[in-house]
Amino acid sequence: MSSGKAIRTTQANTSPGMIDLAIGHPSPSLLPVELIRRAAEQRLATDFTPYLQYGYEPGDGHFRTALADFLTRHYARQTRESELFVSGGASQALDLFCTVCTKPGDTVFVEEPTYFLALRIFQDHRLRIVGLPTDEGGLIIEALEERLDSLRPVFLYTVPTHQNPSGASLPSDRRRRLVELSREKDFLIVADEVYHLLTYGEKAPPALASFLGEGTVLSLGSFSKILAPGLRLGWVQASPRLLRPLAECGMLDSGGGLNPFTSSLVLSAIQSGMLDAHLERLRGEYGRRLQAMKAAIDDCLAGKVEFSPPGGGFFFWLRLSDGRDSATLVEAAKRHKTSFVPGAAFSAGGGLRDRLRLSFSYHPPEALQEGVRRLAKGLS
Ligand SMILES: Cc1ncc(COP(=O)(O)O)c(C=O)c1O
């Protein structure tokens, strides 16, 4: 019997007529239904049995070999299968890393701003979260050095390329210095590189995965943004020594390697070239959306906000020129049938109140422009 309540399937809950610029999910129109159908047909036509069995703990070897080849091409660095661990997405990898490598009360350094839902995961693990200042080039290395004089984190969490929310990309020289510091001062770097392949303009600096040889870097990747979040599939790239505790944890001893079934479909997508073709399509379309949103902000919000346009990823990060607390404007935006995420969500210490995040991934270009027009009315 129906209760009359809508049955929910997806995480984002949009109401009719709303252009919600808070939603940072991939566009529904870019979810690769046909690609998944063809990958599944190819896979089911072969010997499928191993992929329905408990999987090898670090992840299926055929899949990791194909992924190593994919990353060798796209990250321009020779990647080996032994440097890859298959995860259920970047969030799951982060949670598993915290489970095996931290204890309550340990310190984690994060960027200020940082990916807000990573903060939730660190809170679940009762970590002490310390925010470090950033500028338009991401983490300020001198500020990190100063903090390291009095405090030593177990790890530093960074989104080095097209950051969520700021869009900033850490320049090469800062990446190098960050890795040097991690060796000198003995802490790990967990680099969340889920946007690295979504670069639409100038080439991004080398992924932090390029520094694996230094032995302090774990790079998280995900198929959520480049294929579909519903696959719940990603990877951790690190030296075999750093990956071992993840693969040897009790959860995998009991349940086997993560997502062998989904891995087998993505294996087909990589081997057939469908993933490369899809990535090209995404870069083109998201690049157009970025430009559409930038043009709308320039037109409708000139003088009201300041920002540096991103070179990839999903987000614009705006500062309100009049210094207002953006959280106080959410209701006004909603009255005009749009929304955004207030800046304080991205702060470990409740700061960044004059900032707000807009996403350009979810809606098509015309809707983004209309959303920004509505926002301008809400902010006036
Ligand atoms: C920086 C960052 N990391 C991780 C995630 C979630 O990734 P996954 O779906 O692989 O868990 C997101 C999604 O918005 C993100 O922006």
Side-chain angles (χ1 to χ4, degrees):
M1 204 181 6
S2 163
S3 66
K5 263 176 82 177
I7 296 174
R8 283 190 58 183
T9 307
T10 58
Q11 193 179 36
N13 194 19
T14 47
S15 42
M18 181 86 170
I19 299 177
D20 192 339
L21 302 176
I23 302 176
H25 297 184
S27 179
S29 67
L30 294 172
L31 293 174
V33 180
E34 189 50 33
L35 179 154
I36 295 295
R37 184 179 295 124
R38 282 168 51 198
E41 277 167 9
Q42 281 174 15
R43 184 54 53 203
L44 292 169
T46 63
D47 175 16
F48 195 63
T49 320
Y51 298 109
L52 296 177
Q53 188 53 277
Y54 282 109
Y56 178 44
E57 288 86 346
D60 170 59
H62 296 291
F63 172 61
R64 286 189 300 132
T65 303
L67 180 58
D69 172 57
F70 175 81
L71 292 172
T72 297
R73 284 186 288 113
H74 286 279
Y75 283 9
R77 172 194 176 270
Q78 186 64 41
T79 304
R80 286 186 293 271
E81 176 213 341
S82 59
E83 295 169 335
L84 293 170
F85 169 85
V86 176
S87 75
S91 314
Q92 189 273 336
L94 208 48
D95 189 66
L96 180 60
F97 173 79
C98 291
T99 300
V100 298
C101 294
T102 70
K103 57 182 187 321
D106 280 349
T107 298
V108 51
F109 282 179
V110 301
E111 292 153 343
E112 179 84 356
T114 188
Y115 170 48
F116 65 136
L117 299 174
L119 294 174
R120 289 287 320 280
I121 296 173
F122 301 149
Q123 284 157 3
D124 286 348
H125 288 272
R126 312 277 184 271
L127 301 183
R128 176 183 177 203
I129 305 169
V130 175
L132 298 171
T134 61
D135 58 20
E136 59 287 349
L139 191 65
I140 300 172
I141 299 295
E142 293 72 26
L144 167 63
E145 288 190 73
E146 216 175 288
R147 212 69 182 86
L148 284 166
D149 284 342
S150 55
L151 200 55
R152 200 55 48 87
V154 173
F155 71 103
L156 176 145
Y157 170 75
T158 173
V159 185
T161 309
H162 312 314
Q163 205 235 26
N164 179 1
S166 72
S169 289
L170 198 69
S172 297
D173 56 337
R174 291 198 201 183
R175 290 178 192 234
R176 215 168 299 117
R177 185 66 193 129
L178 172 61
V179 176
E180 272 169 22
L181 275 173
S182 69
R183 285 181 60 96
E184 283 165 30
K185 307 284 184 179
D186 192 25
F187 62 91
L188 293 174
I189 299 169
V190 176
D192 184 338
E193 310 212 78
V194 300
Y195 297 107
H196 191 81
L197 296 173
L198 292 175
T199 298
Y200 320 127
E202 252 173 63
K203 199 164 172 276
L208 270 181
S210 315
F211 297 92
L212 292 197
E214 302 295 322
T216 52
V217 177
L218 295 100
S219 164
L220 311 184
S222 176
F223 289 98
S224 289
K225 317 292 176 184
I226 60 172
L227 273 178
L231 296 173
R232 303 313 305 139
L233 192 69
W235 66 91
V236 184
Q237 202 177 340
S239 66
R241 182 181 63 83
L242 290 179
L243 292 182
R244 202 165 304 124
L246 302 179
E248 290 179 353
C249 73
M251 188 256 291
L252 295 186
D253 204 9
S254 170
L258 292 162
N259 297 338
F261 175 79
T262 314
S263 304
S264 79
L265 302 191
V266 177
L267 170 62
S268 290
I270 295 174
Q271 286 177 333
S272 61
M274 289 192 290
L275 178 59
D276 280 343
H278 184 65
L279 196 48
E280 271 312 299
R281 174 168 175 241
L282 291 184
R283 287 178 179 143
E285 181 56 27
Y286 285 135
R288 275 188 286 282
R289 292 181 184 203
L290 184 158
Q291 291 307 333
M293 182 170 262
K294 178 175 180 305
I297 297 171
D298 286 342
D299 276 358
C300 309
L301 290 169
K304 292 185 179 157
V305 300
E306 291 142 38
F307 68 102
S308 302
F314 282 4
F315 307 107
F316 278 81
W317 181 236
L318 311 182
R319 181 208 294 265
L320 294 169
S321 304
D322 60 10
R324 275 184 295 176
D325 180 343
S326 65
T328 64
L329 302 167
V330 171
E331 281 314 312
K334 284 193 173 150
R335 277 197 296 280
H336 291 280
K337 290 201 166 293
T338 190
S339 196
F340 59 84
V341 185
F346 303 92
S347 167
L352 305 168
R353 292 188 171 275
D354 58 348
R355 314 294 175 97
L356 56 111
R357 189 195 78 175
L358 303 183
S359 166
F360 58 85
S361 59
Y362 194 76
H363 298 283
E366 312 71 51
L368 293 175
Q369 296 194 310
E370 173 58 19
V372 173
R373 275 194 288 276
R374 293 180 187 182
L375 183 66
K377 289 184 201 150
L379 299 189
S380 61

